[in-house]
Amino acid sequence: MYYVAAVLTVLAGLFYAAGNSELGSWGRDMCQYGSTFCDNPFYVLVGAILAAVWGRFVSIR
């Protein structure tokens, strides 16, 4: 689950950069399909936090 949290964190960064037009044409294409996440990359970051918390929860011994 930590891997999922890491991937979601990277995706949140990419969506943030794409939303601020820092990735050029690739970011424009990315925002065409994921406009909600480009406008609010915090949603993806919240998913990453929840995945990390869930991973921590299920790995408690």
Side-chain angles (χ1 to χ4, degrees):
M1 210 45 152
Y2 293 125
Y3 296 116
V4 172
V7 168
L8 287 174
T9 302
V10 169
L11 282 174
L14 285 174
F15 278 119
Y16 177 78
N20 289 328
S21 302
E22 296 176 3
L23 297 178
S25 64
W26 188 67
R28 192 170 41 249
D29 292 339
M30 195 170 148
C31 285
Q32 180 180 358
Y33 296 109
S35 63
T36 301
F37 300 122
C38 284
D39 295 338
N40 301 306
F42 186 70
Y43 293 162
V44 181
L45 189 60
V46 167
I49 292 169
L50 290 174
V53 168
W54 181 255
R56 179 72 176 155
F57 177 73
V58 297
S59 66
I60 294 177
R61 295 173 195 233

